[in-house]
Amino acid sequence: MREINIDQTYKVSNTFRHHHCFENNCLVNNHESDNKEATKSSELTETEIQKQLASRLAPQPYQLIGEEVSYRLDKKVAQWPIEYVLIWFNLIGGSDYIKNLLENRVDGDLLLRITEDELRDDIGIHNGIMNKRIMRELNNLKQSADYSSIDSTGLNSVLKSINSEYSVYTYPMLNAGVNVDSIRFLTDDQLKNVCGISNGIHRSCIKDSIQNMSGYTENVDKPFDAFISYRRSTSYVLASLLKVYLEIRGYKVFIDMKRSNDAKHRHDVLQTVKQSKNFIIALTKDSLVKHSKVSLDGDIESLDMISEEVATAKQSQCNIIPVLDNFSWSSPVPDGLKNLNMYNSISWVHDYQDACINKLVKFMIK
């Protein structure tokens, strides 16, 4: 995050004013709480937040007199607690809205998602100029934020390489399930309605740039909407469910029912992987256990088939989506399959199958 330099006269007077304001509020709240039963809560109370904010701001006037000082906050904005958001608003001149921010429990995650309409309607910033100024500061914050903890494939770097301003789209795209692999296949409609990029020129620039990336493959050359990979001895039922649900919705899906080791059959299967836009891998408990298992038809089944299919999907720039049913990445996973946890996955819940399919479809490219 860039350093936020505040005019020292404004900052000194503003800091004193809000320090005393918060201090007084704390005293009143503490006095009232003495006459009430303490309630059990794991969340930070408003009074505690005010105390912490006051303690952070109180020493500043003595440091600021006669010199200009920059206040720094952690660059991992998505992980900011509520108090950091309050400090940030105070520093950019939005201290009048701290009460509404507290009431709405706005943390770093919500701050990165907040819209201009929500600033007006929910936070109460009705002055149009002030609203635009805060949005400008928020965009600067988004561009300088550190997304490394949630951006394992480097999506932010790709967007910055197109245009430094486009990093404002990093967080909404990550939340929509986009990564460096799947960005190659996004349509204009997905960029607009799923990723929230309303500016048509920005969408056009992003599309043009990703089409020129090394390894970009046009979707029109791939006749299958999805290839479903699975281990017959453990995840046959889940794979079959996924196929049925997707075909009901009109998707052209391929699943290898034979799971034969015959060389010609395996060649044909891997060719189908290359012809698929999306590669869905069904993972249940023990799906990636190294030792061989006896499949439904009595044949010994190893992990070679899945490993080959995953490797082919990566080489063919397929959009990879793991679907997890009682599967944990903490269990032993073969080296060639460990990075599957880098892709956006779906947690399968049998009581909410329709909702799971809705989310899966959202992650799929068309």
Side-chain angles (χ1 to χ4, degrees):
M1 176 180 167
R2 68 181 177 84
E3 294 183 359
I4 305 174
N5 295 312
I6 307 297
D7 177 81
Q8 75 176 47
T9 304
Y10 163 79
K11 193 170 181 182
V12 172
S13 61
N14 190 55
T15 304
F16 267 120
R17 179 165 61 88
H18 287 284
H19 167 51
H20 290 303
C21 175
F22 282 122
E23 190 177 51
N24 290 336
N25 284 340
C26 290
L27 290 173
V28 171
N29 290 336
N30 288 338
H31 175 71
E32 291 176 350
S33 64
D34 288 339
N35 300 321
K36 296 179 180 179
E37 265 187 51
T39 56
K40 190 176 181 181
S41 173
S42 61
E43 294 185 357
L44 203 61
T45 66
E46 180 174 334
T47 299
E48 288 168 340
I49 292 172
Q50 290 175 345
K51 282 181 178 179
Q52 291 189 27
L53 184 57
S55 67
R56 288 178 179 273
L57 296 177
Q60 291 186 38
Y62 306 101
Q63 299 171 1
L64 291 169
I65 294 174
E67 60 180 341
E68 188 174 308
V69 175
S70 298
Y71 193 96
R72 299 189 183 195
L73 291 171
D74 189 341
K75 291 184 178 181
K76 295 180 180 178
V77 182
Q79 300 174 9
W80 278 6
I82 297 170
E83 62 165 325
Y84 277 31
V85 175
L86 303 185
I87 292 170
W88 182 79
F89 257 82
N90 187 73
L91 291 173
I92 65 167
S95 55
D96 290 341
Y97 309 104
I98 284 179
K99 180 181 178 182
N100 290 342
L101 291 164
L102 275 169
E103 289 177 352
N104 286 279
R105 313 293 292 178
V106 179
D107 56 13
D109 172 65
L110 290 176
L111 181 64
L112 290 173
R113 298 168 184 254
I114 206 165
T115 65
E116 195 167 343
D117 288 343
E118 288 169 338
L119 283 176
R120 182 189 65 243
D121 300 334
D122 300 323
I123 307 303
I125 308 176
H126 298 294
N127 184 298
I129 301 298
M130 173 63 79
N131 198 311
K132 290 182 185 300
R133 189 166 71 77
I134 288 180
M135 283 303 298
R136 182 187 66 191
E137 294 292 341
L138 182 55
N139 284 336
N140 290 336
L141 181 68
K142 290 177 181 178
Q143 290 176 39
S144 57
D146 179 359
Y147 300 101
S148 59
S149 61
I150 54 175
D151 182 17
S152 58
T153 64
L155 176 64
N156 188 48
S157 297
V158 170
L159 291 173
K160 278 188 172 182
S161 69
I162 300 172
N163 187 313
S164 60
E165 294 182 1
Y166 293 174
S167 57
V168 300
Y169 303 124
T170 299
Y171 199 64
M173 291 180 81
L174 288 171
N175 279 293
V178 178
N179 58 31
V180 168
D181 297 307
S182 59
I183 192 177
R184 303 172 187 272
F185 308 105
L186 292 178
T187 63
D188 184 77
D189 181 68
Q190 288 172 319
L191 286 172
K192 180 180 180 180
N193 298 317
V194 179
C195 301
I197 306 176
S198 58
N199 189 307
I201 296 176
H202 290 187
R203 294 198 305 273
S204 179
C205 288
I206 291 173
K207 282 292 293 178
D208 289 344
S209 297
I210 61 179
Q211 286 175 8
N212 292 325
M213 287 180 182
S214 174
Y216 179 84
T217 306
E218 286 288 349
N219 294 334
V220 293
D221 297 331
K222 297 188 172 186
F224 290 96
D225 293 306
F227 179 99
I228 299 179
S229 179
Y230 68 104
R231 198 171 187 185
R232 192 170 185 181
S233 59
T234 60
S235 49
Y236 171 78
V237 174
L238 176 59
S240 300
L241 272 175
L242 293 172
K243 181 177 187 293
V244 171
Y245 271 113
L246 289 175
E247 287 183 338
I248 288 174
R249 299 191 180 209
Y251 289 94
K252 188 175 181 180
V253 182
F254 181 88
I255 183 171
D256 176 23
M257 300 299 294
K258 292 183 180 180
R259 300 311 264 171
S260 169
N261 284 315
D262 176 74
K264 184 181 183 305
H265 178 76
R266 287 304 300 162
H267 175 268
D268 292 341
V269 168
L270 296 179
Q271 286 300 115
T272 307
V273 173
K274 296 177 182 179
Q275 297 171 2
S276 302
K277 302 182 182 93
N278 300 279
F279 180 87
I280 300 170
I281 178 167
L283 297 174
T284 57
K285 187 178 180 181
D286 296 334
S287 284
L288 298 183
V289 172
K290 289 185 179 181
H291 61 75
S292 299
K293 286 236 177 215
V294 179
S295 66
L296 297 179
D297 57 6
D299 292 336
I300 297 297
E301 182 188 31
S302 70
L303 285 174
D304 291 345
M305 291 183 183
I306 290 180
S307 297
E308 285 179 341
E309 290 164 0
V310 170
T312 304
K314 290 177 180 178
Q315 292 169 2
S316 306
Q317 300 296 324
C318 295
N319 178 36
I320 298 176
I321 311 172
V323 178
L324 316 178
D325 180 12
N326 195 29
F327 177 85
S328 173
W329 294 113
S330 61
S331 57
V333 177
D335 291 339
L337 300 173
K338 282 183 178 178
N339 62 356
L340 280 175
N341 65 353
M342 294 173 59
Y343 297 94
N344 294 292
S345 60
I346 307 294
S347 294
W348 186 260
V349 182
H350 288 276
D351 290 340
Y352 300 98
Q353 294 182 5
D354 283 332
C356 293
I357 291 295
N358 289 338
K359 188 173 182 181
L360 174 61
V361 168
K362 183 179 177 182
F363 283 0
M364 290 173 64
I365 58 174
K366 298 179 181 179

